Amino acid sequence: MREILLLKLGEIVLKGLNRGMFEQRLVKNLTWRLRAVGEFDIYCLQSTIYVEPKDESVDMDAAVDAVSRVFGIVSICRAAECEKDMDVILDTALEFLADRLETARTFKVDAKRADKTFPKKSPEIAMEIGGALHDRFPHLKVDVENPELCVKVEVRDRMAYVHANPLPGAGGMPVGINGRAALLLSGGIDSPVAGYMIAKRGVSLHGIHFFSYPYTSERAKKKVLELGEKLTRYNGRLRVSMVPFTKIQEEIRAHCREDMFTLIMRRFMMRISERVAREYDCRALITGESLGQVASQTMEAMGVTGAVCELPVLRPVVGMDKEEIVRIARKIDTFEISILPYEDCCTVFTPKHPKTKPRKYDVEAEEAKLPVEELVEEAVAQIEVITLE
């Protein structure tokens, strides 16, 4: 008996003639993600990804953990492989699922016969295996609606497979299939969640972080890189462009109206981010803005700050409340890092009464007091790129 993983595809199965491209990308992502666990044969047949260890010593728990964060998979089945023979299938189920059969109170058997040359049909397989398991474990009661243990038997072209109670996958689409986007990554709760949500739609991320030393500390910078490392579990390798922002903020404070500090600062961020995005072939910018959460995230303010960009600005958490965002942050394990008390540059020189309904021409009039292009060029020239694995 050999244990393998059967990975069930999600919305990829709805794709048409380009479905093979999605499957190839998913296999590539799985190969990359599993390289630290061991050597595997990974291939796609009949809307299922097969992950077969080449060595019996491979840690399958680690393999499951790795693939659980690969977008494009809706469920993960730890399955035992066996010959396509009813007696062998029963013996495999008894051996592979013995512990769970002993502790469960209710069960049912589902069967799927993908190999139409197999002599028994799916209902016949389920009835025969189910009856035999009940004979061996008479304490089990059959519950076809909500069983505690659902035993699955799949008779496929090459072999038969036995598994039970699949684990949830990450869903979404394979990262990279929908291009790359630049994530404005702060040290807060929202932006890592925004990056996760866009990565789930098949987009590879490039991080951009603005720091204002000495107003922000090295610990704040380290915090952001730790958040980026959490995102690599879903995105894979992540480059983060670290942008020095101190001079720009000081120039804004020295020459512009206080109530527009944040707006002008964010317009500079968007300009610089678009420059970085184009350098790394990103097709959009991603922000963690949530409508009405702070003064700079009103519709008017977002319109003014986004007006300096030609690339689309994706705001995946714009309609979510804080509780919803925190729930996802806990799920992806970024929340505890985000709440560490190391502030980012967005909290530097915060106005007492920020403008919540700005007019574009008023903001542009204040910006005209600054050498905008010169400041942008200087910041871009000093960017440091850090690669996270």
Side-chain angles (χ1 to χ4, degrees), residues 63-324:
V64 170
D65 182 63
V67 303
S68 68
R69 292 187 290 268
V70 177
F71 292 126
I73 298 163
V74 71
S75 65
I76 304 164
C77 306
R78 298 183 68 156
E81 183 183 71
C82 63
E83 297 294 329
K84 293 187 289 184
D85 176 89
M86 290 298 292
D87 291 335
V88 177
I89 291 172
L90 175 60
D91 290 342
T92 301
L94 291 169
E95 180 183 354
F96 188 60
L97 303 175
D99 292 343
R100 282 183 277 184
L101 288 165
E102 288 176 356
T103 57
R105 292 169 295 178
T106 60
F107 88 117
K108 76 170 182 177
V109 176
D110 276 343
K112 179 180 178 180
R113 186 188 64 154
D115 178 8
K116 302 307 180 185
T117 65
F118 192 73
K120 292 184 181 292
K121 296 181 180 180
S122 298
E124 297 171 328
I125 298 170
M127 289 177 62
E128 185 172 331
I129 298 297
L133 292 177
H134 189 266
D135 290 343
R136 300 290 184 95
F137 299 91
H139 70 282
L140 289 172
K141 294 182 179 180
V142 176
D143 183 350
V144 297
E145 296 295 331
N146 189 30
E148 190 175 331
L149 183 68
C150 182
V151 177
K152 298 274 190 178
V153 177
E154 299 188 41
V155 180
R156 292 178 168 266
D157 288 347
R158 293 173 54 189
M159 304 288 283
Y161 303 91
V162 177
H163 55 90
N165 292 7
L167 302 170
M173 293 185 180
V175 167
I177 199 69
N178 284 324
R180 183 181 294 112
L183 169 66
L184 278 70
L185 183 61
S186 71
I189 298 170
D190 304 337
S191 59
V193 171
Y196 163 82
M197 293 178 68
I198 294 299
K200 189 173 182 178
R201 299 311 304 156
V203 177
S204 179
L205 304 177
H206 179 97
I208 303 174
H209 176 66
F210 296 85
F211 68 95
S212 295
Y213 184 81
Y215 302 107
T216 58
S217 67
E218 284 297 318
R219 289 181 296 182
K221 187 175 178 181
K222 181 180 177 183
K223 170 185 172 181
V224 168
L225 294 177
E226 288 177 358
L227 291 171
E229 287 172 354
K230 292 294 184 181
L231 290 176
T232 63
R233 299 187 301 171
Y234 299 93
N235 179 77
R237 177 185 294 160
L238 177 68
R239 291 188 180 93
V240 182
S241 294
M242 309 296 288
V243 184
F245 207 55
T246 307
K247 182 173 180 180
I248 290 174
Q249 289 189 291
E250 289 177 338
E251 288 292 313
I252 294 171
R253 181 180 63 171
H255 297 96
C256 301
R257 281 170 42 186
E258 183 185 1
D259 62 345
M260 293 191 182
F261 282 1
T262 303
L263 291 164
I264 297 171
M265 176 193 73
R266 292 190 65 83
R267 281 165 66 90
F268 270 97
M269 287 181 170
M270 300 300 273
R271 289 186 179 98
I272 294 169
S273 295
E274 186 167 52
R275 290 279 297 272
V276 173
R278 292 188 184 282
E279 181 180 351
Y280 288 94
D281 193 29
C282 298
R283 303 173 190 174
L285 303 180
I286 309 165
T287 74
E289 293 166 296
S290 176
L291 187 61
Q293 187 176 117
V294 295
S296 63
Q297 295 178 14
T298 63
M299 284 191 286
E300 293 86 351
M302 286 190 279
V304 168
T305 57
V308 299
C309 295
E310 293 182 2
L311 289 176
V313 180
L314 308 180
R315 299 179 173 95
V317 303
V318 71
M320 300 172 66
D321 61 33
K322 203 65 176 182
E323 184 178 341
E324 293 172 304

Side-chain angles (χ1 to χ4, degrees), residues 353-383:
H353 303 289
K355 198 79 171 174
T356 58
K357 295 185 178 181
R359 292 176 295 189
K360 182 181 174 184
Y361 56 82
D362 288 335
V363 178
E364 290 175 340
E366 288 299 303
E367 275 187 342
K369 301 174 182 178
L370 302 171
V372 174
E373 286 304 315
E374 179 183 323
L375 291 170
V376 169
E377 290 287 347
E378 185 175 345
V380 169
Q382 297 178 59
I383 287 175

